[in-house]
Amino acid sequence: MPKKIGVYICHCGSNIAGTVDVEAVAEFAKGLGGVTLAKDYKFMCSDPGQDMLKEDIRSSGLDGVVIAACSPLMHELTFRKAALEAGLNPFLVQIANIREQCSWVTEDRALATQKAKALVAGAVARALSHEPLEMRRVEVQPSALIVGGGIAGIQAALDLADAGVQVYMVEREPTIGGHMAMFDKTFPTLDCSACILTPKMTAVGSHPNIQLMAYSEVEEVSGYIGNFRVKVRRKAAYVDHDKCTGCGLCMEKCPYKVDSEFDQGLSKRRAIYVPFPQAVPNKPVIDRDACAYFKKGKCRVCEKVCEPGAIDFEQQDSIEEIETGAIIVSTGFQAMDMTAMPQLGYGKHAEVYSALEFERLNNAAGPTLGKIVTKDGREPTSVAILHCTGSRDENYHRYCSRVCCMYALKYAHLIKEKIPEAAVYQFYIDMRCFGKGYEEFYQRLQEEGVRFIRGKAAQVWSGKEYRAIATDDTGLEVDDAQLVVQAEDTLLGKLVRVPVDMIVLTPAFEARDDAEQVGKAFLLNRGADGFFLEQHPKLAPVSTTNDGVFIAGGCQGPKDIPDTVAQGSAAASKALSLITRREIEIEANTAYIDEELCSGCKNCLDICPYNAIDFDDEKNRAVLNEALCKACGTCAATCPSGAIRARHFADDQIFAEIEGVMSI
Amino acid sequence: MEVATPFLEVAEAIEQGGAEDLNVCYQCATCTGSCPWGFVEPLNVRRLIHLAQLGLEGYEGEDIWRCTTCNTCKIRCPRGVGIVDLIRSIRMMIGETGLIPQSLRAALGSTKSEGNPWSGERKLRNKWAADLGFTPFDKNEHEYLLFACCMPSYDSRSRKLVEAVAKVLSAAGIRAGVLGSEESCCGESIRKIGDEGLFGNLAEGNGKLFAEHGVERVLVISPHCYHTFKNEYPELGTSVQVTHMTELMASAIAAGKLDLKKPVDAAVTYHDPCYLGRHNEIYDAPREVLRSIPGVKFTEMIRNRDCSLCCGGGGGRMWMETKFGERFSDLRIPEALGVGADVLATACPYCINMFEDSRLNLNKEDEIRIKDVTELVAEALA
């Protein structure tokens, strides 16, 4: 029986009708083979427009519809839904994009009209060859996996767990807390970071719906939206945490010390350690690389002092498998290594600090108990804070790191609070204080007497170096222990040299070194800046192109704590709306493998980005797992024997469309 | 305060002259803060760029001729602005009006008529070659064309450098030939002075000569020749493989082709020439060579590698008078002495010339020697 196609040409107000002669196009469509009716209408997406479509489907018994309107990204779903309501399989709706691809990009009315006709002819030809497809429904596991226990992950975990969802939190370090746990105060309110964070950390540790897997890493991810299967490596802590009471005696007695990562190398920790006193879980792990027993076969002091007998040198890594409906990746960021800019003297001069080092120096629980002192114990009389070191810089990172201006102001405040007579200089390019209460904080710091020099610091020398190379007669007197910062104050148009006792750099906020590897595991794309890419920068900021996997926090790009927490909650809400659906529809236009034609060459197995194709060794044929197939079509294009067909995008369907377009 | 009105036609002309990225400068002043002039008489590079962005008067003043094109600002510029190209473009515009400094006019005139900026006769070019046993380049016989810069032909100090080159090449068994007096100045500095037309003629002439003789590999002693052959000649249709003497020596030593037996008992420090280091990122080869000379105690100066201090001779400054007290080379000698060096080694005839002058002017002849890395290697050959 010949098919009956209905064609609808949308005016889109004047968006289309202003350039395209819509009536002429409708008239033209009426003459195309298979077309039963063709109409033009002001707004097809409006309720009356949809009602007209439904009415026509029912009364004329249409078995195919072409809507010539805007991009399918805008309203394909709208019209598919309308068709379904009228009893027509939604895959029999074909969109001809005559707005973005025609009226908006063509000035000449006659040419635009001709192009619209060609696009409609193509769509009609395509619609004639379409087949009805059924959407598939799969169950959703009512649980979520959160990878990374910084503040983004913590927020997401608590939101989900409070909603009754089973949450698995995987954290690589022995404790959750991330970068925020290292900070002393937070801008612009100057809340104590630990005071607002540790209650949340504790809540994660004790929540009945959260299974915390610290000192663990995701090893492998398989499955698909609603039904992921994840292998987690639980690293051997060499301490049985079920037996350990957390008394801390082992750490006290351990004779071996190494640099504390948490204190940025400014203090020492033992070979058996918890990173900091408020750690969650508050149970120690043994660092194999630092432990004398593992290195030399002797010591075992911890074992001797441990009353509950929790030390277990024989412990091995174990693999735990979890099933989860949604995944939130919140793996955070890292600070750029400042030795990349030798002119700033980091790593060469003791009193040039990176931001995280200065955070620890300020922290009441840090290596100096919060006293701002030089490495030889002096209280600085002057400090320079250098902005944009590695950020907004083609040589390192083009983007603005978004947090440095603000924490630089915070540092200035903390210095002024602790050493009121100290001079604090900010060397900046532009002050970016855009958040709520941020500009006010900037003004407050100006009131507190911080000096602003508008110019990027170009060079740093030690006092000794400076005296060896300086020949000027500026009368600048510098002693060995001091540092000299050189910049142009662009507002004065003068080269300035400022002798200071201490310098704090603001290293660029960058994607972690292992972002590529993590991205591959979770099938996440990364932007040119290395951070994970959201599905849409405005409208889908925590979704990704991998359905069911969401991102939050510093792994997506530089952001401050308020934005990170907001993303954590946003990702939790996206995960929750997925989980609470219990069942979801997935792509109907999957690939299809014709067993008769398959030659067993296995080309498709390697090429499939979603691991959706298996191989049946007995039959020597490729087998498609439809649940995993994302309908990308790569296998269909690769298959040398033409055995794989991409449903809804089959060769004959596409050729029909091309022939339709070319017929004009 | 003066009132200014942007003159965008001028700004556009500067952009078109080779400073296409002029407008991406966001005025952070990393350039001013990095400029070696800061050590003597600060040069406001940032302001120069902003004047150019708006086409405002002042960009064409004396400051524009102070730039030595050392590239420190360029490699640090967070927006990647081609500051050296910008300077060149402005100089080119000024050159079109004839307002270039007198001393540079002499260098340009000599280059135009004699093929070298030293007011030397063309017929004397490469006359040293025969005395040192070099034969005219023959592609069947020679691995390299030795393009030895104009200086050895017209300057006695630089002549010593080619003597060392001859000794080292012969010891390593590397065959290099020379072109005669037809060859002209590479034109690197000429281009930086802003005479694009003359540079084009030089490049075309040399390119033709290379083609006629079937030259494929060129060995240079000057980083300036290196830079222009490698990075600028290809745009004008001449592509040859360029090797700097320090690279050649480093690989010859690594391959065991140079037997350095005679100790050179000296505390040596190394000055990175701008055009070898910052312009072409060759930092390690000369250091590897120095470290393999027996007896050499190698020390770094405070300003080394990409933070090296310019000698002051690039960008046409070789032919301009620099006031006493403003010469970068005068700062470098005490810096070298300050780290205990008695030999200041480098790898550029311009740098050597500048430092030799400073050594005399500062009365440090007894305290420090200025040596090309090649000369030290020659000393170490038995």
Side-chain angles (χ1 to χ4, degrees):
Chain A
M1 202 174 81
K3 284 194 175 177
K4 290 194 232 167
I5 307 286
V7 180
Y8 299 86
I9 318 296
C10 180
H11 298 195
C12 195
S14 63
N15 273 305
I16 294 170
T19 320
V20 172
D21 182 346
V22 286
E23 287 164 20
V25 177
E27 209 46 49
F28 159 81
K30 281 180 190 159
L32 293 168
V35 173
T36 304
L37 60 91
K39 296 177 176 175
D40 62 278
Y41 190 73
K42 211 158 184 57
F43 287 107
M44 278 306 294
C45 61
S46 65
D47 282 348
Q50 291 186 54
D51 289 343
M52 176 176 76
L53 175 69
K54 288 187 226 172
E55 177 52 32
D56 286 350
I57 292 172
R58 290 195 194 97
S59 61
S60 306
L62 298 179
D63 42 16
V65 165
V66 168
I67 314 279
C70 54
S71 160
L73 277 177
M74 296 291 298
H75 280 303
E76 187 172 55
L77 277 180
T78 312
F79 297 120
R80 278 185 174 181
K81 205 166 148 254
L84 185 64
E85 281 167 18
L88 183 71
N89 184 288
F91 288 88
L92 300 176
V93 174
Q94 178 67 15
I95 306 286
N97 182 353
I98 60 164
R99 192 177 75 171
E100 285 84 347
Q101 293 177 358
C102 182
S103 70
W104 278 359
V105 291
T106 315
E107 280 177 10
D108 185 281
R109 191 173 169 85
L111 287 174
T113 304
Q114 197 185 348
K115 183 171 180 185
K117 285 178 185 173
L119 291 169
V120 167
V124 169
R126 176 97 181 244
L128 284 168
S129 65
H130 273 171
E131 298 160 2
L133 297 173
E134 289 309 318
M135 291 296 279
R136 293 162 303 145
R137 305 189 70 81
V138 292
E139 266 183 46
V140 176
Q141 290 285 334
S143 56
L145 165 69
I146 294 170
V147 188
I151 184 59
I154 288 173
Q155 182 67 33
L158 292 174
D159 285 358
L160 284 166
D162 286 346
V165 173
Q166 169 64 42
V167 174
Y168 303 97
M169 173 173 273
V170 174
E171 166 59 48
R172 169 184 292 175
E173 300 297 324
T175 175
I176 56 170
H179 282 100
M180 189 175 169
M182 297 167 146
F183 304 162
D184 181 47
K185 296 277 176 9
T186 55
F187 63 75
T189 48
L190 300 170
D191 298 277
C192 151
S193 189
C195 309
I196 58 176
L197 177 68
T198 47
K200 282 179 180 281
M201 289 167 60
T202 314
V204 168
S206 60
H207 204 294
N209 290 341
I210 300 177
Q211 188 189 335
L212 176 57
M213 294 187 255
Y215 212 43
S216 302
E217 289 184 46
V218 169
E219 189 114 319
E220 197 186 303
V221 184
S222 57
Y224 52 93
I225 180 170
N227 295 277
F228 294 104
R229 283 187 304 279
V230 182
K231 282 185 188 162
V232 178
R233 175 174 293 272
R234 312 283 317 252
K235 293 184 277 190
Y238 307 106
V239 178
D240 183 338
H241 285 177
D242 292 332
K243 287 185 189 164
C244 172
T245 59
C247 73
L249 199 58
C250 52
M251 296 187 276
E252 221 171 274
K253 299 293 180 192
C254 172
Y256 294 94
K257 289 182 183 175
V258 288
D259 283 348
S260 154
E261 296 86 353
F262 189 75
D263 273 343
Q264 299 287 297
L266 296 172
S267 74
K268 300 281 180 191
R269 64 158 170 85
R270 306 299 168 115
I272 182 165
Y273 73 109
V274 293
F276 57 100
Q278 299 89 346
V280 172
N282 205 333
K283 302 281 173 79
V285 299
I286 294 177
D287 173 359
R288 266 188 91 107
D289 298 333
C291 171
Y293 173 69
F294 282 112
K295 287 204 304 199
K296 297 174 193 156
K298 273 189 187 160
C299 183
R300 300 178 83 123
V301 166
C302 48
E303 192 179 40
K304 283 169 207 140
V305 300
C306 181
E307 267 186 42
I311 306 293
D312 176 7
F313 289 106
E314 305 307 316
Q315 207 176 63
Q316 299 288 324
D317 288 5
S318 60
I319 301 289
E320 201 161 316
E321 284 202 35
I322 53 181
E323 292 196 349
T324 180
I327 296 174
I328 296 174
V329 176
S330 50
T331 45
F333 69 99
Q334 69 187 24
M336 180 181 145
D337 175 5
M338 280 288 101
T339 56
M341 300 179 81
Q343 67 269 32
L344 301 180
Y346 180 78
K348 186 175 171 198
H349 307 312
E351 294 310 315
V352 180
Y353 293 84
S354 77
L356 283 174
E357 289 167 352
F358 196 67
E359 289 286 356
R360 295 312 299 155
L361 207 57
N362 261 292
N363 195 292
T368 58
L369 303 176
K371 275 171 79 175
I372 301 174
V373 287
T374 58
K375 296 215 171 78
D376 56 6
R378 290 170 298 122
E379 200 165 68
T381 59
S382 51
V383 181
I385 305 171
L386 316 189
H387 293 219
C388 299
T389 51
S391 307
R392 305 182 67 197
D393 190 328
E394 294 272 341
N395 299 304
Y396 310 100
H397 300 295
R398 288 185 76 167
Y399 53 81
C400 166
S401 287
R402 294 180 85 247
V403 290
C404 327
C405 283
M406 289 308 298
Y407 74 63
L409 290 173
K410 176 188 77 177
Y411 291 164
H413 171 81
L414 295 173
I415 298 163
K416 281 289 190 185
E417 187 179 62
K418 291 173 181 173
I419 317 169
E421 63 284 3
V424 183
Y425 299 93
Q426 304 272 358
F427 287 82
Y428 72 101
I429 309 174
D430 300 294
M431 289 304 294
R432 293 185 165 172
C433 310
F434 48 84
K436 192 171 179 177
Y438 291 9
E439 183 66 25
E440 295 90 325
F441 191 61
Y442 177 19
Q443 187 175 344
R444 173 177 171 181
L445 266 295
Q446 289 181 301
E447 286 161 7
E448 287 179 12
V450 173
R451 311 293 157 173
F452 290 83
I453 294 178
R454 202 266 169 206
K456 190 170 174 181
Q459 316 236 21
V460 169
W461 300 288
S462 68
K464 199 176 166 192
E465 283 178 347
Y466 182 73
R467 285 205 315 281
I469 60 174
T471 48
D472 58 332
D473 44 11
T474 53
L476 182 65
E477 280 181 25
V478 202
D479 65 46
D480 275 5
Q482 281 183 302
L483 298 158
V484 178
V485 187
Q486 175 167 296
E488 184 203 339
D489 184 320
T490 61
L491 304 178
L492 288 175
K494 281 191 175 164
L495 194 66
V496 292
R497 287 183 189 142
V498 184
V500 291
D501 293 328
M502 190 181 268
I503 288 174
V504 186
L505 306 180
T506 57
F509 189 115
E510 64 184 15
R512 294 186 70 100
D513 285 339
D514 63 359
E516 186 179 352
Q517 197 190 327
V518 173
K520 274 186 186 151
F522 293 97
L523 299 177
L524 300 176
N525 293 321
R526 294 196 303 146
D529 53 16
F531 293 104
F532 296 136
L533 205 59
E534 62 282 0
Q535 196 179 33
H536 189 284
K538 296 177 186 71
L539 302 179
V542 296
S543 304
T544 70
T545 47
N546 190 8
D547 293 343
V549 179
F550 307 97
I551 49 176
C555 66
Q556 182 264 349
K559 57 182 58 65
D560 57 14
I561 295 169
D563 286 2
T564 300
V565 171
Q567 277 203 340
S569 283
S573 122
K574 295 299 284 183
L576 193 61
S577 81
L578 163 64
I579 290 162
T580 48
R581 272 187 268 164
R582 310 184 76 118
E583 225 185 42
I584 48 158
E585 282 190 328
I586 53 175
E587 289 296 342
N589 49 348
T590 52
Y592 166 79
I593 301 177
D594 187 337
E595 264 191 30
E596 298 292 304
L597 294 176
C598 175
S599 67
C601 73
K602 298 188 182 177
N603 282 350
C604 54
L605 268 71
D606 294 335
I607 211 97
C608 175
Y610 305 99
N611 302 321
I613 306 179
D614 292 325
F615 198 74
D616 183 332
D617 286 318
E618 262 177 43
K619 287 189 181 169
N620 194 35
R621 296 284 181 268
V623 182
L624 184 87
N625 181 343
E626 287 198 0
L628 291 181
C629 177
K630 289 277 197 307
C632 71
T634 311
C635 57
T638 307
C639 178
S641 20
I644 309 185
R645 182 182 158 89
R647 286 192 180 106
H648 210 58
F649 290 91
D651 289 352
D652 55 313
Q653 293 168 335
I654 290 169
F655 283 132
E657 183 172 12
I658 294 171
E659 277 169 24
V661 169
M662 301 305 286
S663 68
I664 302 305
Chain B
M1 197 162 66
E2 290 167 45
V3 177
T5 306
F7 192 8
L8 297 186
E9 287 81 355
V10 169
E12 281 155 19
I14 295 172
E15 275 176 61
Q16 281 154 17
E20 293 85 0
D21 47 13
L22 169 65
N23 286 316
V24 302
C25 166
Y26 63 4
Q27 293 283 294
C28 71
T30 298
C31 45
T32 312
S34 301
C35 179
W37 278 101
F39 293 106
V40 285
E41 180 61 45
L43 171 63
N44 198 329
V45 187
R46 191 263 322 152
R47 185 166 179 274
L48 211 60
I49 297 174
H50 197 45
L51 289 170
Q53 285 177 327
L54 297 178
L56 292 176
E57 268 181 36
Y59 71 87
E60 76 291 11
E62 272 176 34
D63 274 356
I64 195 73
W65 298 104
R66 286 165 66 202
C67 174
T68 63
T69 67
C70 78
N71 221 30
T72 313
C73 55
K74 163 69 173 61
I75 62 165
R76 291 185 189 167
C77 174
R79 278 290 169 86
V81 177
I83 302 174
V84 171
D85 290 333
L86 165 68
I87 297 287
R88 197 163 56 74
S89 171
I90 295 176
R91 287 179 177 181
M92 210 164 87
M93 279 184 61
I94 298 168
E96 282 162 12
T97 65
L99 289 171
I100 61 166
Q102 188 63 40
S103 52
L104 291 179
R105 276 185 237 171
L108 293 177
S110 159
T111 310
K112 216 166 276 175
S113 59
E114 301 298 328
N116 72 79
W118 298 102
S119 303
E121 290 179 63
R122 179 178 278 282
K123 64 178 186 202
L124 299 179
R125 188 179 190 95
N126 289 344
K127 217 162 167 270
W128 50 264
D131 304 344
L132 297 176
F134 286 102
T135 53
F137 179 80
D138 177 347
K139 66 176 176 181
N140 300 318
E141 187 192 331
H142 295 119
E143 295 166 61
Y144 292 96
L145 164 71
L146 173 64
F147 191 100
C149 175
C150 307
M151 287 197 78
S153 298
Y154 308 107
D155 168 71
S156 57
R157 173 65 186 87
S158 307
R159 157 86 192 222
K160 289 185 188 155
L161 174 47
V162 278
E163 284 165 15
V165 170
K167 195 172 168 194
V168 171
L169 291 182
S170 134
I174 294 165
R175 298 179 312 278
V178 292
L179 293 173
S181 57
E182 270 181 274
E183 168 194 285
S184 294
C185 172
C186 70
E188 184 282 321
S189 286
I190 302 301
R191 190 171 199 212
K192 296 299 186 307
I193 292 171
D195 198 335
E196 195 71 15
L198 180 53
F199 169 71
N201 293 343
L202 295 168
E204 196 185 318
N206 285 330
K208 224 170 119 191
L209 212 53
F210 290 173
E212 280 166 14
H213 288 83
V215 174
E216 284 171 8
R217 300 204 288 172
V218 179
L219 176 64
V220 296
I221 60 170
S222 169
H224 296 266
C225 307
Y226 182 93
H227 179 74
T228 193
F229 289 157
K230 185 167 186 197
N231 306 310
E232 300 179 322
Y233 272 42
E235 287 168 39
L236 301 167
T238 299
S239 289
V240 286
Q241 196 189 319
V242 200
T243 307
H244 187 261
M245 197 57 200
T246 55
E247 295 178 293
L248 184 86
M249 291 189 292
S251 53
I253 291 168
K257 287 205 261 173
L258 276 174
D259 194 12
L260 305 181
K261 276 219 181 97
K262 212 166 120 195
V264 177
D265 288 314
V268 179
T269 191
Y270 175 71
H271 162 87
D272 290 274
C274 304
Y275 278 80
L276 199 59
R278 277 185 293 265
H279 280 279
N280 288 292
E281 295 183 335
I282 300 174
Y283 297 112
D284 294 324
R287 288 176 168 79
E288 284 161 20
V289 174
L290 290 173
R291 287 205 174 93
S292 38
I293 299 175
V296 162
K297 286 189 295 295
F298 182 74
T299 336
E300 290 283 6
M301 285 185 280
I302 294 166
R303 289 169 284 203
N304 61 59
R305 298 178 75 92
D306 59 347
C307 297
S308 174
L309 176 70
C310 171
C311 76
R317 298 291 304 177
M318 277 306 278
W319 301 281
M320 293 179 77
E321 187 54 38
T322 305
K323 275 193 285 186
F324 184 72
E326 293 188 2
R327 298 172 192 158
F328 305 165
S329 49
D330 285 359
L331 309 183
R332 206 52 161 158
I333 303 286
E335 185 177 348
L337 289 169
V339 297
D342 50 35
V343 169
L344 172 56
T346 185
C348 170
Y350 288 8
C351 297
I352 288 183
N353 221 263
M354 299 298 283
F355 293 144
E356 289 285 9
D357 271 0
S358 290
R359 177 174 164 250
L360 285 177
N361 290 334
L362 299 171
N363 289 319
K364 301 290 181 194
E365 292 142 281
D366 300 335
E367 293 173 48
I368 196 157
R369 292 188 297 153
I370 313 299
K371 288 283 169 189
D372 192 278
V373 175
T374 315
E375 293 175 322
L376 291 176
V377 170
E379 278 183 36
L381 290 167

